[in-house]
């Protein structure tokens, strides 16, 4: 809660220590993190005797970045599978209580769905690990993935340059050995 008084707000002091600071690991240009959060809603009275007022709602920038598309797709799939599994388990439970013939098939399908739901959760984890391994951590300037990509680029350039030099030497020396 932001507890700046009206006098501090009018003078523009107090609460501005947050402005200009950045959270650890967030180096995205800083525009969203440098500005003061916008207040939305109604001013509430502060506790008696404090002389301060407080805001009802304070918007703050997102702490986490958005998940990559493949990871988000796998997570949505896992949530849908898990919800279907829970619905099947509830139907199996209630049909068992009612003594319905549907109880046994639903119990079997619930067991199978539990196995599939476990696979779905593991799929999210594996997809996330593969994404991080392929694309690396982008938010940190001294990222290991960036350094490895830079080294691979240098090695490819050096290999192409060596190949060009080798082709140039072969072209130059092809006819001159027999001329001497």
């Amino acid at each position: 809660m932001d507890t700046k008084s009206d006098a501090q707000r009018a003078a523009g002091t107090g609460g501005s220590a947050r402005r200009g600071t950045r959270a650890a690991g967030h180096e995205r240009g800083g525009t969203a993190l440098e500005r003061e959060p916008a207040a939305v809603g109604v001013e509430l009275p502060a506790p008696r005797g404090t002389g301060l007022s407080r805001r009802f709602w304070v918007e703050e920038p997102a702490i986490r970045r958005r998940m990559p598309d493949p990871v988000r797709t796998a997570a949505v799939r896992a949530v849908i599978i898990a919800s279907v599994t829970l619905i099947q388990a509830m139907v199996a439970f209630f049909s068992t209580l009612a003594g319905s013939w549907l109880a046994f098939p639903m119990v079997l399908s619930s067991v199978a769905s539990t196995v599939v739901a476990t696979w779905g959760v593991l799929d999210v984890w594996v997809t996330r690990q593969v994404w991080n391994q392929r694309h690396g951590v982008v938010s940190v300037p001294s990222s290991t993935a960036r350094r490895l990509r830079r080294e691979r680029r240098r090695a490819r350039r050096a290999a192409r340059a060596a190949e060009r030099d080798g082709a140039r030497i072969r072209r130059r020396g092809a006819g001159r050995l027999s001329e001497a």
Side-chain angles (χ1 to χ4, degrees), residues 70-85:
V71 179
R72 192 170 56 252
T73 304
V76 168
R77 188 183 320 122
V79 167
I80 291 172
I81 292 170
S83 62
V84 168
T85 302

Side-chain angles (χ1 to χ4, degrees), residues 93-125:
F93 176 73
F94 288 129
S95 55
T96 302
L97 288 179
S100 173
W101 62 270
L102 192 60
F104 184 67
M106 287 306 291
V107 167
L108 289 180
S109 68
S110 297
V111 170
S113 290
T114 303
V115 171
V116 173
T118 305
W119 167 82
V121 171
L122 286 175
D123 181 43
V124 173
W125 182 69

